[in-house]
Amino acid sequence: MFARAAVDVVGTTAVVQLHAAPPLDTELTVHPHRGRALVWHEDELVATVSAAVHDQPAVAPFVTVAAAERASASFAGETAHPFPQCVVCGTARTDPAALHLTPGSVDGFPGVVACTWTPGGPDLDTVWAVLDCPGGWALDQSGSPYVLGRMSARVHLVPPPGEPTIVVAQHIATVGRTARVTSALFGPDGTEFGRAQATWVRLSASAHPAPRKRECLR
C-alpha cells in the first residue's frame, strides 16, 4: 500500500519503514522529502518509504493442492492464535475482508507450512498480505509469539479470481530471537505468482508487537 502510494517519489522498488500502526479506512497523505516519501496520518508520521534495490528473494518449495489441503488440517492457530483478529489468518474474523488462511505443516517437508487460497477480487496489497502471515506459522508461535520485522516481496502476477492457489512458507534459520523464512504463492500447475523472504522476531514476555518494516518489490 505505502510503496504504491509513494511510487512517484521513489519508483517501483521500495523499502517501507513503519513508525506507527497504519490506521484502517483512513486517508493518509504522502509528502516527498529528500528523495524519500513520508506518509502521514494528520500530525503523526506513519511510515517512511525510500528507494531500494534487492536481489530476487529465495523461493519456498511448491506443493500440490492436495498436500496443501491436508496441511491445513494441522493449522496450529485453530487451537491457540496470538493474533485472532488478523485479517489474513485470524480465527476470530467473520467479516468479508477476512482471508481465513490456515497454513499447517506439510508431510515430508520439515519446516514447511502450506494451505490453499481461492481469491475473490485480488489486488497487489492482498497478494502481499498472503505472502506475509504464513511465514509466521512456519515458526513456533506458542508462548511469546513472533512478529514480522522485515519483509521483501516480488509479485509477478496477481492470480485470477475464483481459481485455487497454493500458499507455501518455509523456515530457513533461527538465530537468537530472530528467524528467517521464505514464502511463495503458486497456481495448481506450479505457476509462481509471487515470492517473499522475511525476518520475524520473537517478542519478549513483556513486549508488545513492534512496528513492522516491509520491503515491497514489484
Side-chain angles (χ1 to χ4, degrees), residues 87-106:
V87 70
V88 179
C89 62
T91 52
R93 296 290 293 259
T94 58
D95 55 289
L99 301 181
H100 301 295
L101 295 192
T102 56
S105 299
V106 180

Side-chain angles (χ1 to χ4, degrees), residues 33-84:
H33 179 72
R34 296 181 180 179
R36 298 179 298 172
L38 306 182
V39 183
W40 294 83
H41 173 233
E42 297 179 348
D43 59 351
E44 181 179 30
L45 180 62
V46 176
T48 301
V49 187
S50 55
V53 177
H54 296 273
D55 295 331
Q56 179 85 333
V59 65
F62 170 75
V63 303
T64 65
V65 169
E69 289 175 342
R70 289 194 298 270
S72 289
S74 63
F75 176 48
E78 292 290 356
T79 55
H81 200 306
F83 306 106

Side-chain angles (χ1 to χ4, degrees), residues 20 25 38 40 44 65 70 76 81 86 133-134 157 162 181 213 216:
D25 301 322
L38 306 182
W40 294 83
E44 181 179 30
V65 169
R70 289 194 298 270
H81 200 306
C86 175
C133 280
L157 181 68
V181 303
K213 177 186 289 185
C216 300

Side-chain angles (χ1 to χ4, degrees), residues 98-147:
L99 301 181
H100 301 295
L101 295 192
T102 56
S105 299
V106 180
D107 292 339
F109 288 82
V112 174
V113 297
C115 65
T116 58
W117 172 54
T118 301
D123 54 22
L124 283 175
D125 288 341
T126 305
V127 174
W128 292 337
V130 167
L131 290 170
D132 174 358
C133 280
W137 293 105
L139 308 171
D140 179 10
Q141 290 287 4
S142 62
S144 297
Y146 283 89
V147 295

Side-chain angles (χ1 to χ4, degrees), residues 1-3 12-18 48-55 57 128 131-132 148-155 195-199 212-218:
M1 175 177 67
F2 296 122
T12 58
T13 303
V15 176
V16 180
Q17 171 69 58
L18 294 186
T48 301
V49 187
S50 55
V53 177
H54 296 273
D55 295 331
W128 292 337
L131 290 170
D132 174 358
L148 185 67
R150 182 182 179 94
M151 177 179 171
S152 62
R154 185 179 299 276
V155 177
R195 63 174 67 182
Q197 58 186 7
T199 300
R212 309 193 305 177
K213 177 186 289 185
R214 173 179 292 174
E215 301 168 344
C216 300
L217 306 184
R218 303 189 267 138

